[in-house]
Amino acid sequence: MAAALAASREGVTVLLIDRNHYLGGILNQCIHDGFGLIRFKKSLTGPEYAGVFINQVIEDKNIEVMLDTMISQITPEKRVYGISRSGVFCEDAGAVIFATGCRERTRGAIAIPGSRPSGIYTAGVVQYLINVNNIAVGKKAVILGSGDVGLIMARRLVLSGVEVCCVLEKLPYCSGLPRNRYQCLEDYNIPLYLNQTVTRIHGNRRLECLTVSGVDEKGLLISGSEYEIACDTLILSVGLIPENEVIRQLDVSIQPDTNTIIVNQYLETSVSGVFLCGNSLHVNDLVDNVSDEGELAGKWAAAHVLGK
Ligand SMILES: Cc1cc2nc3c(=O)[nH]c(=O)nc-3n(C[C@H](O)[C@H](O)[C@H](O)COP(=O)(O)OP(=O)(O)OC[C@H]3O[C@@H](n4cnc5c(N)ncnc54)[C@H](O)[C@@H]3O)c2cc1C
């Protein structure tokens, strides 16, 4: 939305497409506060922050919004193919900005051995189930990963009546913001165990128990340190990966050591007129920075369209 509004301010018409049936992306499920401290100098919830932009987008005559629409393909000529409720369509664009966000690393990505019972979720999925759909996920949970999403979900689960046994972190320090450690764990007496990780999952139909092992300073498991925690829910908060499968259909240059897409100072990829911003470029802690970056991408994409 920040990119669309910035491009519109430069005088180009914009088609804003999202596969969700609402605007705002991940913000809609983040009902805690702490958004907009830099941009608006106040602490908004995610939906409130999104709402500021939604109101501007709705009023902007240069922006057309298409929801429930999945972009599946793009050609180097900037022909974009999508699928909506009315079928497959294509649009030719002067420039395309990808702001497709990120997705979560799963159990498969970190290869935890054991059986495959129900009760294992990523943190964002649980956040969506509880905050958007009002669905309970379990009774007794362990959270793996002490990043901000894991810490926020620890508090959210306690507030929704789940017993949170602990947060486990393989690093020797908490990786989330200090404010989240205090407000989400210490205020709710949730223990944080550092240098520990889950090494086996037990359970038949539903998760019954986890084996937890100590991790040394080199990141190796400490033999003999294993112990078990009985629980019915494991929440994985073990990292986010930029979502950019569609843009990779183009011959965009990739940074090999990070496997991320290279952009120049105008946030333009190596394919002329194709821009990338937000969490699909690199994962951001603060939405304020995502909005700033979106505005730059919108401004430079408009300059491309206008031949400047
Ligand atoms: C749990 C959590 C807590 C956070 N807490 C804070 C906080 O307290 N303070 C703060 O400042 N920031 C916080 N953040 C960070 C911030 O909210 C995000 O970094 C930011 O909102 C990401 O914006 P984005 O536009 O890059 O991605 P998203 O919001 O993920 O938007 C991407 C959009 O692209 C759409 N999309 C993807 N692929 C396609 C496709 N092929 N076709 C059509 N549409 C597609 C998706 O549907 C989605 O709507 C938090 C994030 C999370 C996950």
Side-chain angles (χ1 to χ4, degrees):
M1 289 191 285
L5 289 162
S8 166
R9 279 196 291 273
E10 298 295 318
V12 301
T13 55
V14 182
L15 180 57
L16 177 57
I17 298 176
D18 202 294
R19 64 188 172 195
N20 282 336
H21 57 273
Y22 44 74
L23 288 168
I26 197 76
L27 289 168
N28 291 288
Q29 65 185 66
C30 298
I31 62 170
H32 58 281
D33 69 345
F35 295 83
L37 289 168
I38 302 170
R39 180 170 276 255
F40 300 119
K41 306 282 179 282
K42 52 185 174 182
S43 182
L44 303 174
T45 64
E48 285 171 337
Y49 187 96
V52 174
F53 288 83
I54 290 170
N55 289 338
Q56 293 175 38
V57 165
I58 289 170
E59 283 176 12
D60 194 314
K61 301 277 181 291
N62 288 336
I63 303 176
E64 183 190 339
V65 177
M66 280 182 85
L67 296 174
D68 292 306
T69 304
M70 178 86 180
I71 293 303
S72 57
Q73 200 183 341
I74 177 170
T75 69
E77 297 75 35
K78 294 182 283 299
R79 173 166 286 188
V80 175
Y81 290 85
I83 303 151
S84 70
R85 287 184 188 277
S86 37
V88 177
F89 69 94
C90 74
E91 285 284 342
D92 291 310
V96 181
I97 303 169
F98 280 83
T100 43
C102 62
R103 61 166 175 260
E104 300 180 283
R105 296 178 79 204
T106 60
R107 177 183 174 184
I110 57 168
I112 306 174
S115 58
R116 299 187 62 193
S118 64
I120 301 166
Y121 304 88
T122 57
V125 165
V126 171
Q127 191 178 49
Y128 179 73
L129 290 173
I130 296 178
N131 291 348
V132 179
N133 292 321
N134 200 24
I135 292 173
V137 293
K139 294 191 170 69
K140 191 173 176 187
V142 167
I143 294 175
L144 182 60
S146 67
D148 290 317
V149 184
L151 301 181
I152 286 161
M153 287 316 296
R155 176 179 63 183
R156 186 69 187 96
L157 285 166
V158 168
L159 292 173
S160 63
V162 177
E163 180 189 348
V164 177
C165 306
C166 59
V167 175
L168 300 171
E169 170 58 60
K170 70 173 183 179
L171 295 171
Y173 53 84
C174 177
S175 55
L177 292 169
R179 78 162 194 239
N180 282 332
R181 179 174 179 171
Y182 301 134
Q183 293 175 2
C184 299
L185 297 191
E186 295 184 8
D187 286 358
Y188 291 84
N189 295 318
I190 302 169
L192 169 65
Y193 299 138
L194 301 173
N195 293 111
Q196 295 190 18
T197 191
V198 174
T199 48
R200 186 159 289 275
I201 285 166
H202 309 269
N204 185 11
R205 291 178 67 82
R206 179 79 193 194
L207 176 64
E208 291 166 13
C209 171
L210 301 170
T211 301
V212 176
S213 302
V215 179
D216 70 16
E217 64 283 357
K218 291 184 184 143
L220 301 172
L221 299 178
I222 302 170
S223 173
S225 64
E226 300 84 5
Y227 68 98
E228 295 192 338
I229 303 178
C231 59
D232 66 5
T233 306
L234 172 63
I235 312 284
L236 301 172
S237 181
V238 290
L240 302 164
I241 308 166
E243 175 146 344
N244 43 41
E245 278 66 24
V246 177
I247 200 171
R248 280 173 190 255
Q249 294 169 3
L250 301 173
D251 194 20
V252 286
S253 299
I254 308 282
Q255 181 74 31
D257 48 357
T258 55
N259 192 26
T260 48
I261 293 170
I262 297 172
V263 292
N264 63 17
Q265 68 269 40
Y266 308 114
L267 299 171
E268 186 179 27
T269 66
S270 57
V271 176
S272 172
V274 177
F275 296 78
L276 184 63
C277 62
N279 282 0
S280 52
L281 174 59
H282 61 118
V283 175
N284 286 265
D285 288 338
L286 293 178
V287 70
D288 310 72
N289 298 336
V290 174
S291 301
D292 290 352
E293 204 174 88
E295 285 176 347
L296 286 178
K299 179 181 162 190
W300 293 120
H304 181 94
V305 172
L306 297 171
K308 295 183 183 172

